Amino acid sequence: MEIVLLGTGSADGWPNPFCGCASCRSATAIRAQTAALVDGVLLLDCGPEAPRAAMHWGRSLAQVRHILFTHGHPDHVGPAALLMRHWTGATEPLDVVGPAGALDQCRDWVAPHDPVRFQTVRAGDRIRLGDYDVRVLAAAHGSDIGGDAVLYDVGSADARVLWATDTGPLPESTYTAVSGAGYDAVFLEETFGAYTEHGTEHHDLPGFATTVARLRDCAAVTDATSIVAVHLSHHNPPEPELTAILSDSGARPGRDGEVVRVGAATSRPVRTLVLGGARSGKSAHAEALLAGKPEVTYLATGGVREGDAEWAERVRAHRARRPDSWRTVETAEVAEELRCARQAVLLDCLGTWLTARMDLHRVWDGGDDGRNAVSADIDELVSAWRACPAPVVAVSNEVGSGVVPPTASGRLFRDLLGVLNARVAAESDEVVLMVAGRPLRLPAD
């Protein structure tokens, strides 16, 4: 099962476009209203921002056959999507499922002969949609729309996930219904962060931790479950702090455009390349991708620079962001580490690795021997990247978009790093370009 997070923000997103608070000013990524696309055919919520978000992240909705609405609030129901589909002349059936408060908003957006099938559900129902077994669960949310908000337990032949937005602390009936589920992934809303005076229809950070603990107690969540916080707002602290707090529960914040693979989709560990310029947020994004892993090996290729106080401060800041459970290995000999990995790996970064190899082989002195040796090192690294038996994320600099370097050595480094980035990207499942702190997912073709 492949779940693409089209949005991970609350109704007002994060940052709120009208707000200048510290949290909004510190946001390094825009989070749109929460929604997800499963296997390209099933939409979990479809608010007004979801269709355009899908296109932004390189995903078509042409094959969508099922839409599950959790409730009728306007950030979760964007009925204009049905009109957009109508304009294409679609003839394939579309199941539109949800509580009455959501479906009633959609019916007038469908032409009489559109192949759209509305199915009203309530907590306790169980339905079959194509390849998916869907259980409808009670939420604690939405008294202003009739109290008919629901959550979804979605299972396929090889995976099972819980979509739990929007809701406050879960009703006892929901814990009973999910007991023993052993979900592959749980997407749980966490709207209010440190603000706790908001009522009972959303989670804050303490409530989120309590809910996750109870899901563990009833075996709905196991050590193998990916726990992703969604429906995030500016009531939360800046992302590095939020990531650290959520990691105490074995969770992490979701990111717009992120792809979560579970079940058979995880049979091959995912390889992700994160590119970006200086201070683009690439390292922080890469760390967030692995924040939910209990153990991570951090391959630091920059080494120690004696007497360089500014570099030492950079290293200190990076270390402070990382959980205590992460193992740091400072080395430029990364190929063997990749081949023998038994836990998730973060390689930061390919640019400093390449510099170290060029120094080792005295490329700066000129001649073909040094360049040939570096090319052999690149071959070895790409081979190890391909063979790595664990999930792996690499960070690299994008240096080819600026002015032409004035020196031959600068041009050589630029060219070799471009080759290295392209070869690693060709062997990666996901490639993300960070621009001004915002991640852009690069399609394969």
Side-chain angles (χ1 to χ4, degrees):
M1 189 182 291
E2 179 194 75
I3 304 101
V4 181
L5 295 178
L6 304 180
T8 57
S10 58
D12 53 344
W14 184 20
N16 180 311
F18 295 93
C19 183
C21 73
S23 177
C24 287
R25 293 197 308 272
S26 71
T28 59
I30 291 178
R31 286 180 163 84
Q33 296 164 350
T34 292
L37 177 64
V38 179
D39 296 332
V41 300
L42 186 151
L43 273 172
L44 291 167
D45 281 320
C46 183
E49 296 179 347
R52 197 57 55 193
M55 301 303 296
H56 176 75
W57 298 113
R59 302 289 175 152
S60 170
L61 301 183
Q63 301 305 314
V64 168
R65 299 293 178 262
H66 324 286
I67 300 177
L68 302 182
F69 290 116
T70 53
H71 62 294
H73 282 174
D75 55 317
H76 295 263
V77 178
L82 299 174
L83 184 59
M84 296 178 195
R85 187 175 190 269
H86 166 79
W87 284 334
T88 69
T91 58
E92 299 81 4
L94 174 69
D95 299 306
V96 179
V97 178
L103 299 194
D104 288 347
Q105 300 179 50
C106 298
R107 299 184 192 277
D108 290 342
W109 292 80
V110 174
H113 301 296
D114 276 346
V116 176
R117 304 178 295 209
F118 290 102
Q119 184 166 355
T120 302
V121 294
R122 63 188 65 187
D125 288 347
R126 181 173 179 174
I127 60 176
R128 186 74 182 178
L129 296 174
D131 295 330
Y132 304 95
D133 184 28
V134 179
R135 296 170 173 85
V136 186
L137 308 172
H141 185 71
S143 59
D144 56 324
I145 56 169
D148 60 351
V150 297
L151 314 177
Y152 291 107
D153 173 335
V154 180
S156 65
D158 65 335
R160 189 175 178 185
V161 303
L162 175 62
W163 184 253
T165 185
D166 295 5
T167 184
L170 301 179
E172 289 300 321
S173 62
T174 298
Y175 288 116
T176 300
V178 304
S179 179
Y183 290 111
D184 294 286
V186 169
F187 301 90
L188 179 63
E189 79 113 81
E190 194 284 290
T191 305
F192 280 107
Y195 175 62
T196 58
E197 305 300 319
H198 54 81
T200 59
E201 293 190 356
H202 288 285
H203 281 102
D204 46 42
L205 282 166
F208 182 94
T210 298
T211 294
V212 171
R214 291 211 55 190
L215 289 171
R216 289 189 189 278
D217 289 343
C218 70
V221 164
T222 71
D223 290 342
T225 304
S226 293
I227 308 170
V228 183
V230 295
H231 209 267
L232 300 164
S233 81
H234 65 153
H235 291 287
N236 282 282
E239 185 163 331
E241 182 181 347
L242 175 62
T243 298
I245 294 171
L246 291 174
S247 68
D248 291 338
S249 298
R252 60 180 175 78
R255 283 263 184 147
D256 287 26
E258 177 183 350
V259 180
V260 179
R261 293 182 175 89
V262 294
T266 62
S267 59
R268 178 183 183 272
V270 176
R271 293 151 180 74
T272 304
L273 174 62
V274 181
L275 300 165
R279 298 296 189 180
S280 62
K282 56 187 183 295
S283 291
H285 181 75
E287 291 163 10
L289 292 177
L290 295 176
K293 302 293 183 182
E295 295 181 327
V296 174
T297 296
Y298 184 96
L299 299 181
T301 62
V304 177
R305 302 181 185 179
E306 298 294 339
D308 190 333
E310 189 271 341
W311 180 260
E313 175 57 25
R314 284 176 180 247
V315 172
R316 185 206 64 76
H318 274 240
R319 287 176 175 168
R321 283 202 308 251
R322 303 196 292 265
D324 293 338
S325 60
W326 287 24
R327 179 176 73 100
T328 298
V329 178
E330 294 186 354
T331 182
E333 305 291 341
V334 301
E336 189 61 25
E337 290 284 346
L338 291 175
R339 288 195 180 94
C340 298
R342 294 295 178 266
Q343 59 196 34
V345 176
L346 174 53
L347 194 170
D348 193 354
C349 74
L350 293 179
T352 50
W353 174 85
L354 179 61
T355 299
R357 306 316 292 178
M358 296 175 77
D359 287 343
L360 176 67
H361 298 302
R362 303 180 65 86
V363 170
W364 317 114
D365 295 340
D368 292 335
D369 290 346
R371 295 190 188 187
N372 291 338
V374 171
S375 294
D377 286 346
I378 291 175
D379 289 343
E380 183 183 15
L381 174 64
V382 173
S383 175
W385 175 262
R386 185 190 305 117
C388 185
V392 58
V393 178
V395 175
S396 191
N397 307 98
E398 182 52 63
V399 297
S401 300
V403 298
V404 176
T407 64
S409 58
R411 291 191 292 273
L412 177 61
F413 174 77
R414 176 202 61 182
D415 293 347
L416 286 176
L417 185 58
V419 169
L420 176 59
N421 287 345
R423 292 192 59 187
V424 171
E427 299 292 343
S428 298
D429 303 288
E430 298 291 333
V431 180
V432 177
L433 176 64
M434 298 297 297
V435 180
R438 300 178 182 178
L440 301 175
R441 178 181 176 274
L442 304 182
D445 49 30

